[in-house]
Amino acid sequence: MAQPDSKKIFFENLSGAGKAIAVLTSGGDAQGMNAAVRAVVRMGLYVGAKVYFIHEGYQGMVDGGENIKEATWESVSSMLQVGGTVIGSARCKEFRTHEGRLKAAHNLVQQGITNLCVIGGDGSLTGANLFREEWSGLLTELVEQGLIEADAVQKYSALHIVGMVGSIDNDFCGTDMTIGTDSALHRIIEVVDAIMTTAQSHQRTFVLEVMGRHCGYLALVSALACGADWVLIPEMPPEDGWEEKMCQKLSANRAVMKRLNIIIVAEGAIDRNNKPITTEYVKNLVVKCLGFDTRVTILGHVQRGGTPSAFDRILASRMGVEAVLALLETTANTPACVVSLCGNQSVRLPLMECVQMTQEVQRAMDGKRFEEAVRLRGRSFENNLRTYKLLAHRKPESELPISNFNVAVLNVGAPAAGMNAAVRSAVRVGISEGHKMFAVSDGFEGFYKGQIKEIKWADVGGWTGQGGSLLGTKRTLPAKHVEKIAEQMRKHNINALLIVGGFEAFESLLQLYEARAAYEEFCIPMCMLPATISNNVPGTDLSIGADTALNAIVETCDRIKQSASGTKRRVFIIETMGGYCGYLASVGGLAAGADAAYIYEEPFDIRDLQANVEHLTEKMKTSIQRGLVLRNENCNENYTTDFIYQLYSEEGKGVFDSRKNVLGHMQQGGAPSPFDRNFGTKISAKAMQWVTKKLVETFRHGRVFANTEDSCCLLGMRRRALVFQPVVQLKDETDFVHRIPKEQWWLKLRPLMKILAKYKTSYDVSDSGQLEHVVRNRPKESDASVAM
C-alpha cells in the first residue's frame, strides 16, 4: 500500500480541531488585507479550527465584547475585491500599557483563543510579540484577580503569533513585497499616466508627492515605472548641488523635444543634512531657475484606496493560507514568525529579526549612513535604485565606454504589455555600456527584410507606459529565412541579439542556435526575455505581460459579478486566453474568487462538471448569490464554453441561471501594470549586462565568436532567483505540441483556489516555508523580487 505523502495536509497530523484562531488588522489599512482575512478564515475552517474576527484591531481586543466574533464561511464572501479592511483597524494607546494587554488577554481566554494572526506594519507586529512574551504572566495575574480559573493557565499556556505585513510603503525588511504595495503603485501609475497627457498638452512640469514617510519604495518604483526625470527618496538624499543638476536634466530633456517633465518626491524626502525636501520647494526651484510652467499634485490617501490588484489578492491569499499552516505547526518554543515573500516563494522569518532590521534602516538614516540604509532595505530596493540611475541619467558621450559592439533588439510573437519597457531598458543600458543599439521592426520577418535601424537614447523616451509592441512583432520563425537573416547580420555587423517575446521567441532562439553549425553569424551571444500573457515559456515562473492580463481578467470578473448584484442567483462562465496553458484561468480564478477553473493541464470529464454544478447548487441554496467559473480557451475540445454554459444552465434550473463571457483580446491590450513595467525594465537591464559580459569574454582576434550552450540563454525567474539558462537545456522541459512547460509551479496554487471555494481537497505544502533567518534569506544571485 502506498504511503501518504507527508507533505500533504492530512487531518490526523495537521488538524486544527480544538484550536481557536483570531485574525485582526492593525495600523494603516492596505488593499489586499481583506483577501488575507478571507484566506485565514477559510483555511482555518477548512482544517477544523474555530476562527474569530477581532474588529477594530488591538482596540477591539482590549474592549472585547461584540468586537470579538466567531467567523463563518459566508461572513467573508464578497470581500476579496474590497479595498481597505472590512473588520476595521484602529490605533490603540491602551494596548501599549500593561493594563490594556491584561484586558486583551482576558478577552481572548474567554473565547479560548491562543492563536493570533496579525496583519499590520512593524509597530503592530512588535506589539503582538510583546503580548506573546508577557502572556503567561498576564494569565497568572488574571488568576490572582479571580477573573479566570487556575486551570486556564495550563490550558491556554502559550500564545502563538503569526504576522503578515500589510503596508503600502513596503517598508518592512525580510519580504520582497508587503500586502498593499502593488495596489498603491497601481493608483500612483494611473494618476501619473493621466497627468502625462495634460502635461504634454501644455508643456508642463509636474511635481508629484507620493506616500513614504520613512521609505522611498513607492517613489522609486513609480519613477522607474513611468520614466520620471527625477526622484527624491529618504534613503538616498541627493548630493549637495542637486538643484542645479536637476534643472540641467529637465532643460536637456526639453531640448530634445520632450514636452513634459515628471518629478516624484517621497513625502519623507530629505537632503544630506536631514532637512525635508518638499514638493513646494521643488516647484519654486524649477520656476525660478527654468521658468517652466510647474504644478504640484499630492496623491495622499488615494494611494490607500480602491480595489486590490491581482498581485495583492494572490499574495494575500497565499500568505493567509501559509499563516494558518504556520499556526498549526507552531509549538510553545517556536518564536513569533512573519510570513514573507522571497522571489516567488513564501518563507517564514522570525518576526523580531525582521523588526530589528527594519529599525536598523531608520537608525542608519538618522546617522546619515545612507548607503547602509539602502543595503539594509534589501537586494530588491538596491537593484531598483541602481536600475533607475542607469536608465534616467545619461552619461556624457565623453564618459561612455567605447565597445564597438552592435547589439540588435527585437520582439517576437504576440504583443504583451511591458515589451516596450523591456526594449527601452535594453537600449539605454546598452548605450550606457558603450554599445551601438539597433532596433529590428516586425520580428524575424522584418529582420530578413532588412527593417533594421540604429536606435538612440531619446528614441525610447516615454515607452515605459505604452502597451503592445512599438517595434512591431510577428510570429514568423527564422528557420526558413536563416540565410537572409545571416546576410542582414553581416551587413549591420550585429555582435549580439536580445529577443523579447513568448513561446515563438523560445523556438526562434533554438533555431538560431542550431543554425550556428552552418552560419557563423549566429555564433554570438543571444538572450531571450520571456514576454507573453499566457506565461507558457519554459525556464521561468513569470513572463512580462502576464500580470497586466491577470488584472484585466480580475477587473472584468469584478464588474461581471457586480452586474448580478441584487438580482436572482447567477453563475458566470468566463473564457480566458492562454492557448493550452491554464495560468490565466487558474491564477485569475484565485484572484477573482472563482468556484472552478477548467484547464488543459488538469483533465476533467462529465462527472467533474456534474460535481461542480452540484457543489455550486448547494452553495447557492445556502449562501452565495453569484458564482464564477473560468475556462481556459483550449482546456478541452469537446467541453467548450458553450457546452459548459448550457450544462450549468440546464442543471441549475430553479436554483440559478447562467451567463457566459469570452474575454478575448482585451486581455492583451491596455497600458502595462506597474509590475510588468518594472519586471520588464529590471530583467532587460540584467540581460544587457550579461550580453556585455559575454561580448567581452568571446571577443578574440578582432571578432566575436560564441558557440557554447551558455552563450544562448533565456533569462527567467525560478523561485527565488533570476537565472540565465541555456535554451538547449530547456528542450527536455518543454511540451512543444501544446507549447507549455512540462512542469508549472502555479499548479500548486489550484488546490488553494478549491479550498477557498469550499471544496475538500489535499493541499501540497512541500513549498511551505520552514523558519529561516533574515540574514540568509536571499541567495547571492537573487534580486528576484518577483514583484518589483
Side-chain angles (χ1 to χ4, degrees), residues 744-783:
Q744 301 185 85
W745 70 274
W746 52 265
L747 286 168
K748 290 183 178 180
L749 297 181
R750 283 185 61 78
L752 175 56
M753 183 190 75
K754 292 175 184 177
I755 288 167
L756 298 179
K758 215 174 184 177
Y759 284 91
K760 286 294 178 187
T761 183
S762 60
Y763 179 56
D764 183 356
V765 296
S766 56
D767 273 348
S768 283
Q770 297 304 309
L771 197 64
E772 301 183 16
H773 290 282
V774 77
V775 289
R776 60 175 182 87
N777 75 323
R778 284 179 176 78
K780 189 176 180 184
E781 285 301 311
S782 174
D783 164 41

mmCIF file of all heavy atoms in Angstrom, residues 744-783:
data_model
loop_
_atom_site.group_PDB
_atom_site.id
_atom_site.type_symbol
_atom_site.label_atom_id
_atom_site.label_comp_id
_atom_site.label_asym_id
_atom_site.label_seq_id
_atom_site.Cartn_x
_atom_site.Cartn_y
_atom_site.Cartn_z
ATOM 1 N N GLN A 744 4.847 23.106 -14.125
ATOM 2 C CA GLN A 744 4.462 24.505 -13.937
ATOM 3 C C GLN A 744 4.148 24.741 -12.459
ATOM 4 O O GLN A 744 3.270 24.082 -11.887
ATOM 5 C CB GLN A 744 3.256 24.846 -14.822
ATOM 6 C CG GLN A 744 3.555 24.609 -16.304
ATOM 7 C CD GLN A 744 2.425 25.039 -17.223
ATOM 8 O OE1 GLN A 744 2.327 26.197 -17.597
ATOM 9 N NE2 GLN A 744 1.564 24.108 -17.587
ATOM 10 N N TRP A 745 4.865 25.691 -11.875
ATOM 11 C CA TRP A 745 4.773 25.927 -10.431
ATOM 12 C C TRP A 745 3.373 26.295 -9.959
ATOM 13 O O TRP A 745 2.941 25.922 -8.867
ATOM 14 C CB TRP A 745 5.743 27.048 -10.021
ATOM 15 C CG TRP A 745 5.323 28.401 -10.528
ATOM 16 C CD1 TRP A 745 5.612 28.942 -11.735
ATOM 17 C CD2 TRP A 745 4.500 29.358 -9.856
ATOM 18 N NE1 TRP A 745 5.039 30.182 -11.873
ATOM 19 C CE2 TRP A 745 4.343 30.456 -10.727
ATOM 20 C CE3 TRP A 745 3.881 29.397 -8.609
ATOM 21 C CZ2 TRP A 745 3.589 31.583 -10.387
ATOM 22 C CZ3 TRP A 745 3.129 30.517 -8.271
ATOM 23 C CH2 TRP A 745 3.000 31.593 -9.148
ATOM 24 N N TRP A 746 2.631 27.033 -10.788
ATOM 25 C CA TRP A 746 1.350 27.578 -10.352
ATOM 26 C C TRP A 746 0.274 26.506 -10.182
ATOM 27 O O TRP A 746 -0.780 26.765 -9.579
ATOM 28 C CB TRP A 746 0.863 28.651 -11.333
ATOM 29 C CG TRP A 746 0.851 28.216 -12.764
ATOM 30 C CD1 TRP A 746 1.821 28.419 -13.694
ATOM 31 C CD2 TRP A 746 -0.175 27.462 -13.423
ATOM 32 N NE1 TRP A 746 1.476 27.849 -14.888
ATOM 33 C CE2 TRP A 746 0.255 27.252 -14.755
ATOM 34 C CE3 TRP A 746 -1.404 26.956 -13.027
ATOM 35 C CZ2 TRP A 746 -0.511 26.552 -15.677
ATOM 36 C CZ3 TRP A 746 -2.182 26.254 -13.938
ATOM 37 C CH2 TRP A 746 -1.726 26.057 -15.251
ATOM 38 N N LEU A 747 0.533 25.283 -10.700
ATOM 39 C CA LEU A 747 -0.439 24.202 -10.492
ATOM 40 C C LEU A 747 -0.617 23.913 -8.995
ATOM 41 O O LEU A 747 -1.669 23.415 -8.575
ATOM 42 C CB LEU A 747 0.003 22.937 -11.230
ATOM 43 C CG LEU A 747 -0.162 22.982 -12.760
ATOM 44 C CD1 LEU A 747 0.560 21.828 -13.419
ATOM 45 C CD2 LEU A 747 -1.638 22.999 -13.146
ATOM 46 N N LYS A 748 0.411 24.246 -8.198
ATOM 47 C CA LYS A 748 0.304 24.054 -6.749
ATOM 48 C C LYS A 748 -0.668 25.042 -6.115
ATOM 49 O O LYS A 748 -1.060 24.873 -4.956
ATOM 50 C CB LYS A 748 1.688 24.186 -6.102
ATOM 51 C CG LYS A 748 2.621 23.034 -6.444
ATOM 52 C CD LYS A 748 3.947 23.166 -5.722
ATOM 53 C CE LYS A 748 4.845 21.972 -6.040
ATOM 54 N NZ LYS A 748 6.152 22.070 -5.350
ATOM 55 N N LEU A 749 -1.032 26.105 -6.836
ATOM 56 C CA LEU A 749 -1.997 27.075 -6.307
ATOM 57 C C LEU A 749 -3.441 26.625 -6.535
ATOM 58 O O LEU A 749 -4.362 27.157 -5.919
ATOM 59 C CB LEU A 749 -1.794 28.444 -6.964
ATOM 60 C CG LEU A 749 -0.458 29.158 -6.738
ATOM 61 C CD1 LEU A 749 -0.463 30.515 -7.439
ATOM 62 C CD2 LEU A 749 -0.168 29.324 -5.252
ATOM 63 N N ARG A 750 -3.645 25.652 -7.415
ATOM 64 C CA ARG A 750 -5.022 25.248 -7.741
ATOM 65 C C ARG A 750 -5.783 24.675 -6.532
ATOM 66 O O ARG A 750 -6.949 25.031 -6.321
ATOM 67 C CB ARG A 750 -5.021 24.260 -8.906
ATOM 68 C CG ARG A 750 -4.798 24.960 -10.243
ATOM 69 C CD ARG A 750 -4.909 24.018 -11.412
ATOM 70 N NE ARG A 750 -6.215 23.395 -11.539
ATOM 71 C CZ ARG A 750 -7.288 23.984 -12.045
ATOM 72 N NH1 ARG A 750 -7.224 25.243 -12.467
ATOM 73 N NH2 ARG A 750 -8.421 23.339 -12.141
ATOM 74 N N PRO A 751 -5.150 23.805 -5.721
ATOM 75 C CA PRO A 751 -5.874 23.342 -4.526
ATOM 76 C C PRO A 751 -6.252 24.488 -3.598
ATOM 77 O O PRO A 751 -7.275 24.443 -2.930
ATOM 78 C CB PRO A 751 -4.874 22.392 -3.852
ATOM 79 C CG PRO A 751 -3.975 21.943 -4.945
ATOM 80 C CD PRO A 751 -3.855 23.114 -5.863
ATOM 81 N N LEU A 752 -5.410 25.534 -3.569
ATOM 82 C CA LEU A 752 -5.703 26.706 -2.749
ATOM 83 C C LEU A 752 -7.002 27.368 -3.219
ATOM 84 O O LEU A 752 -7.859 27.726 -2.409
ATOM 85 C CB LEU A 752 -4.524 27.680 -2.843
ATOM 86 C CG LEU A 752 -4.640 29.034 -2.166
ATOM 87 C CD1 LEU A 752 -4.960 28.866 -0.697
ATOM 88 C CD2 LEU A 752 -3.347 29.805 -2.322
ATOM 89 N N MET A 753 -7.166 27.508 -4.541
ATOM 90 C CA MET A 753 -8.402 28.076 -5.086
ATOM 91 C C MET A 753 -9.596 27.209 -4.694
ATOM 92 O O MET A 753 -10.661 27.710 -4.320
ATOM 93 C CB MET A 753 -8.307 28.179 -6.609
ATOM 94 C CG MET A 753 -9.523 28.817 -7.258
ATOM 95 S SD MET A 753 -9.508 28.674 -9.054
ATOM 96 C CE MET A 753 -9.936 26.943 -9.247
ATOM 97 N N LYS A 754 -9.411 25.876 -4.758
ATOM 98 C CA LYS A 754 -10.516 24.960 -4.434
ATOM 99 C C LYS A 754 -10.879 25.019 -2.955
ATOM 100 O O LYS A 754 -12.066 25.012 -2.596
ATOM 101 C CB LYS A 754 -10.125 23.529 -4.834
ATOM 102 C CG LYS A 754 -10.014 23.338 -6.340
ATOM 103 C CD LYS A 754 -9.510 21.946 -6.679
ATOM 104 C CE LYS A 754 -9.299 21.800 -8.187
ATOM 105 N NZ LYS A 754 -8.749 20.481 -8.541
ATOM 106 N N ILE A 755 -9.851 25.087 -2.091
ATOM 107 C CA ILE A 755 -10.116 25.178 -0.652
ATOM 108 C C ILE A 755 -10.904 26.442 -0.343
ATOM 109 O O ILE A 755 -11.880 26.421 0.409
ATOM 110 C CB ILE A 755 -8.785 25.156 0.138
ATOM 111 C CG1 ILE A 755 -8.176 23.752 0.100
ATOM 112 C CG2 ILE A 755 -8.988 25.610 1.581
ATOM 113 C CD1 ILE A 755 -6.729 23.700 0.563
ATOM 114 N N LEU A 756 -10.501 27.553 -0.939
ATOM 115 C CA LEU A 756 -11.168 28.833 -0.674
ATOM 116 C C LEU A 756 -12.565 28.886 -1.293
ATOM 117 O O LEU A 756 -13.358 29.765 -0.970
ATOM 118 C CB LEU A 756 -10.309 29.994 -1.179
ATOM 119 C CG LEU A 756 -8.930 30.133 -0.507
ATOM 120 C CD1 LEU A 756 -8.154 31.301 -1.096
ATOM 121 C CD2 LEU A 756 -9.059 30.283 1.004
ATOM 122 N N ALA A 757 -12.857 27.933 -2.201
ATOM 123 C CA ALA A 757 -14.196 27.832 -2.794
ATOM 124 C C ALA A 757 -15.014 26.725 -2.120
ATOM 125 O O ALA A 757 -16.061 26.324 -2.616
ATOM 126 C CB ALA A 757 -14.094 27.563 -4.290
ATOM 127 N N LYS A 758 -14.495 26.178 -1.000
ATOM 128 C CA LYS A 758 -15.211 25.207 -0.153
ATOM 129 C C LYS A 758 -15.216 23.789 -0.707
ATOM 130 O O LYS A 758 -16.117 23.018 -0.423
ATOM 131 C CB LYS A 758 -16.647 25.670 0.127
ATOM 132 C CG LYS A 758 -17.150 25.297 1.512
ATOM 133 C CD LYS A 758 -18.514 25.896 1.785
ATOM 134 C CE LYS A 758 -18.946 25.593 3.227
ATOM 135 N NZ LYS A 758 -20.246 26.227 3.534
ATOM 136 N N TYR A 759 -14.213 23.435 -1.483
ATOM 137 C CA TYR A 759 -14.055 22.044 -1.910
ATOM 138 C C TYR A 759 -13.148 21.333 -0.919
ATOM 139 O O TYR A 759 -12.224 21.928 -0.371
ATOM 140 C CB TYR A 759 -13.411 21.963 -3.299
ATOM 141 C CG TYR A 759 -14.334 22.301 -4.434
ATOM 142 C CD1 TYR A 759 -14.434 23.609 -4.913
ATOM 143 C CD2 TYR A 759 -15.102 21.317 -5.048
ATOM 144 C CE1 TYR A 759 -15.274 23.925 -5.965
ATOM 145 C CE2 TYR A 759 -15.953 21.623 -6.108
ATOM 146 C CZ TYR A 759 -16.033 22.931 -6.558
ATOM 147 O OH TYR A 759 -16.868 23.243 -7.604
ATOM 148 N N LYS A 760 -13.378 20.047 -0.727
ATOM 149 C CA LYS A 760 -12.471 19.230 0.075
ATOM 150 C C LYS A 760 -11.396 18.683 -0.857
ATOM 151 O O LYS A 760 -11.697 18.035 -1.850
ATOM 152 C CB LYS A 760 -13.233 18.068 0.744
ATOM 153 C CG LYS A 760 -14.103 18.504 1.915
ATOM 154 C CD LYS A 760 -13.248 19.010 3.064
ATOM 155 C CE LYS A 760 -14.109 19.502 4.235
ATOM 156 N NZ LYS A 760 -13.290 20.130 5.278
ATOM 157 N N THR A 761 -10.153 18.966 -0.563
ATOM 158 C CA THR A 761 -9.056 18.522 -1.422
ATOM 159 C C THR A 761 -7.783 18.448 -0.598
ATOM 160 O O THR A 761 -7.716 19.024 0.488
ATOM 161 C CB THR A 761 -8.874 19.492 -2.611
ATOM 162 O OG1 THR A 761 -7.860 19.003 -3.474
ATOM 163 C CG2 THR A 761 -8.498 20.888 -2.139
ATOM 164 N N SER A 762 -6.783 17.745 -1.087
ATOM 165 C CA SER A 762 -5.492 17.746 -0.399
ATOM 166 C C SER A 762 -4.702 18.955 -0.877
ATOM 167 O O SER A 762 -4.864 19.403 -2.012
ATOM 168 C CB SER A 762 -4.716 16.463 -0.692
ATOM 169 O OG SER A 762 -4.467 16.338 -2.067
ATOM 170 N N TYR A 763 -3.874 19.471 -0.003
ATOM 171 C CA TYR A 763 -3.106 20.678 -0.345
ATOM 172 C C TYR A 763 -1.631 20.396 -0.164
ATOM 173 O O TYR A 763 -1.185 20.044 0.927
ATOM 174 C CB TYR A 763 -3.556 21.848 0.548
ATOM 175 C CG TYR A 763 -2.811 23.132 0.293
ATOM 176 C CD1 TYR A 763 -2.781 23.699 -0.985
ATOM 177 C CD2 TYR A 763 -2.134 23.794 1.308
ATOM 178 C CE1 TYR A 763 -2.101 24.871 -1.230
ATOM 179 C CE2 TYR A 763 -1.454 24.973 1.072
ATOM 180 C CZ TYR A 763 -1.446 25.506 -0.196
ATOM 181 O OH TYR A 763 -0.768 26.677 -0.432
ATOM 182 N N ASP A 764 -0.884 20.538 -1.229
ATOM 183 C CA ASP A 764 0.550 20.263 -1.213
ATOM 184 C C ASP A 764 1.281 21.381 -0.479
ATOM 185 O O ASP A 764 1.258 22.531 -0.912
ATOM 186 C CB ASP A 764 1.040 20.160 -2.661
ATOM 187 C CG ASP A 764 2.515 19.814 -2.756
ATOM 188 O OD1 ASP A 764 3.169 19.725 -1.709
ATOM 189 O OD2 ASP A 764 2.999 19.633 -3.883
ATOM 190 N N VAL A 765 1.915 21.026 0.645
ATOM 191 C CA VAL A 765 2.628 22.049 1.415
ATOM 192 C C VAL A 765 4.139 21.856 1.330
ATOM 193 O O VAL A 765 4.886 22.302 2.185
ATOM 194 C CB VAL A 765 2.174 22.067 2.898
ATOM 195 C CG1 VAL A 765 0.728 22.466 2.996
ATOM 196 C CG2 VAL A 765 2.426 20.713 3.556
ATOM 197 N N SER A 766 4.585 21.175 0.271
ATOM 198 C CA SER A 766 6.023 20.924 0.132
ATOM 199 C C SER A 766 6.810 22.221 -0.017
ATOM 200 O O SER A 766 7.997 22.274 0.285
ATOM 201 C CB SER A 766 6.301 20.011 -1.060
ATOM 202 O OG SER A 766 5.765 20.562 -2.242
ATOM 203 N N ASP A 767 6.141 23.291 -0.493
ATOM 204 C CA ASP A 767 6.828 24.584 -0.629
ATOM 205 C C ASP A 767 6.616 25.486 0.581
ATOM 206 O O ASP A 767 7.083 26.615 0.611
ATOM 207 C CB ASP A 767 6.325 25.321 -1.884
ATOM 208 C CG ASP A 767 7.116 24.909 -3.109
ATOM 209 O OD1 ASP A 767 8.156 24.262 -2.934
ATOM 210 O OD2 ASP A 767 6.678 25.215 -4.227
ATOM 211 N N SER A 768 5.859 24.990 1.566
ATOM 212 C CA SER A 768 5.584 25.833 2.725
ATOM 213 C C SER A 768 6.880 26.173 3.433
ATOM 214 O O SER A 768 7.787 25.350 3.538
ATOM 215 C CB SER A 768 4.637 25.119 3.690
ATOM 216 O OG SER A 768 3.332 25.183 3.181
ATOM 217 N N GLY A 769 6.925 27.381 3.927
ATOM 218 C CA GLY A 769 8.181 27.870 4.483
ATOM 219 C C GLY A 769 8.570 27.214 5.791
ATOM 220 O O GLY A 769 7.755 27.074 6.683
ATOM 221 N N GLN A 770 9.813 26.788 5.892
ATOM 222 C CA GLN A 770 10.386 26.443 7.181
ATOM 223 C C GLN A 770 10.977 27.741 7.723
ATOM 224 O O GLN A 770 11.347 28.626 6.967
ATOM 225 C CB GLN A 770 11.472 25.370 7.008
ATOM 226 C CG GLN A 770 10.932 24.060 6.448
ATOM 227 C CD GLN A 770 9.804 23.478 7.271
ATOM 228 O OE1 GLN A 770 9.924 23.338 8.483
ATOM 229 N NE2 GLN A 770 8.689 23.167 6.628
ATOM 230 N N LEU A 771 11.057 27.832 9.040
ATOM 231 C CA LEU A 771 11.552 29.070 9.635
ATOM 232 C C LEU A 771 13.010 29.289 9.240
ATOM 233 O O LEU A 771 13.856 28.426 9.433
ATOM 234 C CB LEU A 771 11.416 28.996 11.158
ATOM 235 C CG LEU A 771 11.511 30.340 11.885
ATOM 236 C CD1 LEU A 771 10.367 31.252 11.492
ATOM 237 C CD2 LEU A 771 11.491 30.117 13.392
ATOM 238 N N GLU A 772 13.270 30.440 8.626
ATOM 239 C CA GLU A 772 14.624 30.794 8.205
ATOM 240 C C GLU A 772 15.092 31.983 9.034
ATOM 241 O O GLU A 772 14.415 32.396 9.967
ATOM 242 C CB GLU A 772 14.632 31.139 6.708
ATOM 243 C CG GLU A 772 14.145 29.998 5.832
ATOM 244 C CD GLU A 772 14.234 30.330 4.348
ATOM 245 O OE1 GLU A 772 14.927 31.294 4.003
ATOM 246 O OE2 GLU A 772 13.617 29.602 3.553
ATOM 247 N N HIS A 773 16.223 32.528 8.639
ATOM 248 C CA HIS A 773 16.715 33.729 9.332
ATOM 249 C C HIS A 773 16.866 34.853 8.321
ATOM 250 O O HIS A 773 17.254 34.642 7.182
ATOM 251 C CB HIS A 773 18.040 33.450 10.041
ATOM 252 C CG HIS A 773 17.867 32.545 11.224
ATOM 253 N ND1 HIS A 773 17.389 32.985 12.434
ATOM 254 C CD2 HIS A 773 18.076 31.213 11.350
ATOM 255 C CE1 HIS A 773 17.314 31.963 13.269
ATOM 256 N NE2 HIS A 773 17.723 30.876 12.640
ATOM 257 N N VAL A 774 16.567 36.048 8.762
ATOM 258 C CA VAL A 774 16.513 37.179 7.857
ATOM 259 C C VAL A 774 17.862 37.467 7.206
ATOM 260 O O VAL A 774 17.924 37.950 6.089
ATOM 261 C CB VAL A 774 15.950 38.422 8.588
ATOM 262 C CG1 VAL A 774 16.986 39.048 9.486
ATOM 263 C CG2 VAL A 774 15.420 39.433 7.591
ATOM 264 N N VAL A 775 18.952 37.122 7.884
ATOM 265 C CA VAL A 775 20.269 37.440 7.335
ATOM 266 C C VAL A 775 20.632 36.541 6.161
ATOM 267 O O VAL A 775 21.481 36.868 5.362
ATOM 268 C CB VAL A 775 21.367 37.334 8.414
ATOM 269 C CG1 VAL A 775 21.250 38.452 9.413
ATOM 270 C CG2 VAL A 775 21.316 35.974 9.111
ATOM 271 N N ARG A 776 20.005 35.376 6.044
ATOM 272 C CA ARG A 776 20.394 34.462 4.965
ATOM 273 C C ARG A 776 19.191 34.034 4.129
ATOM 274 O O ARG A 776 19.135 32.943 3.592
ATOM 275 C CB ARG A 776 21.069 33.212 5.546
ATOM 276 C CG ARG A 776 20.208 32.411 6.486
ATOM 277 C CD ARG A 776 20.930 31.127 6.914
ATOM 278 N NE ARG A 776 20.088 30.328 7.788
ATOM 279 C CZ ARG A 776 19.208 29.448 7.360
ATOM 280 N NH1 ARG A 776 19.039 29.249 6.067
ATOM 281 N NH2 ARG A 776 18.477 28.751 8.213
ATOM 282 N N ASN A 777 18.246 34.935 3.987
ATOM 283 C CA ASN A 777 17.033 34.512 3.295
ATOM 284 C C ASN A 777 17.045 34.786 1.802
ATOM 285 O O ASN A 777 16.092 34.526 1.126
ATOM 286 C CB ASN A 777 15.802 35.185 3.917
ATOM 287 C CG ASN A 777 15.690 36.642 3.535
ATOM 288 O OD1 ASN A 777 16.698 37.314 3.436
ATOM 289 N ND2 ASN A 777 14.479 37.117 3.333
ATOM 290 N N ARG A 778 18.189 35.295 1.279
ATOM 291 C CA ARG A 778 18.249 35.523 -0.167
ATOM 292 C C ARG A 778 19.545 34.977 -0.731
ATOM 293 O O ARG A 778 20.613 35.308 -0.246
ATOM 294 C CB ARG A 778 18.155 37.008 -0.508
ATOM 295 C CG ARG A 778 16.735 37.529 -0.386
ATOM 296 C CD ARG A 778 16.693 39.010 -0.707
ATOM 297 N NE ARG A 778 15.342 39.497 -0.682
ATOM 298 C CZ ARG A 778 14.676 39.761 0.438
ATOM 299 N NH1 ARG A 778 15.241 39.569 1.603
ATOM 300 N NH2 ARG A 778 13.440 40.200 0.399
ATOM 301 N N PRO A 779 19.464 34.148 -1.783
ATOM 302 C CA PRO A 779 20.695 33.677 -2.404
ATOM 303 C C PRO A 779 21.419 34.820 -3.087
ATOM 304 O O PRO A 779 20.830 35.860 -3.372
ATOM 305 C CB PRO A 779 20.202 32.659 -3.444
ATOM 306 C CG PRO A 779 18.768 32.997 -3.675
ATOM 307 C CD PRO A 779 18.258 33.638 -2.427
ATOM 308 N N LYS A 780 22.688 34.627 -3.366
ATOM 309 C CA LYS A 780 23.543 35.701 -3.898
ATOM 310 C C LYS A 780 22.977 36.318 -5.156
ATOM 311 O O LYS A 780 22.958 37.517 -5.336
ATOM 312 C CB LYS A 780 24.941 35.150 -4.152
ATOM 313 C CG LYS A 780 25.946 36.233 -4.487
ATOM 314 C CD LYS A 780 27.335 35.663 -4.627
ATOM 315 C CE LYS A 780 28.325 36.758 -4.968
ATOM 316 N NZ LYS A 780 29.659 36.233 -5.192
ATOM 317 N N GLU A 781 22.492 35.470 -6.074
ATOM 318 C CA GLU A 781 22.014 35.992 -7.353
ATOM 319 C C GLU A 781 20.548 36.378 -7.318
ATOM 320 O O GLU A 781 19.930 36.558 -8.332
ATOM 321 C CB GLU A 781 22.237 34.945 -8.452
ATOM 322 C CG GLU A 781 23.679 34.822 -8.893
ATOM 323 C CD GLU A 781 24.240 36.122 -9.418
ATOM 324 O OE1 GLU A 781 23.591 36.756 -10.262
ATOM 325 O OE2 GLU A 781 25.304 36.529 -8.977
ATOM 326 N N SER A 782 19.978 36.440 -6.133
ATOM 327 C CA SER A 782 18.542 36.636 -6.022
ATOM 328 C C SER A 782 18.090 37.841 -6.793
ATOM 329 O O SER A 782 18.028 37.840 -7.987
ATOM 330 C CB SER A 782 18.139 36.769 -4.573
ATOM 331 O OG SER A 782 16.805 37.075 -4.483
ATOM 332 N N ASP A 783 17.825 38.913 -6.076
ATOM 333 C CA ASP A 783 17.239 40.078 -6.697
ATOM 334 C C ASP A 783 16.073 39.645 -7.537
ATOM 335 O O ASP A 783 15.725 40.246 -8.530
ATOM 336 C CB ASP A 783 18.272 40.796 -7.563
ATOM 337 C CG ASP A 783 17.593 41.743 -8.478
ATOM 338 O OD1 ASP A 783 16.684 42.389 -8.024
ATOM 339 O OD2 ASP A 783 17.954 41.836 -9.648
#
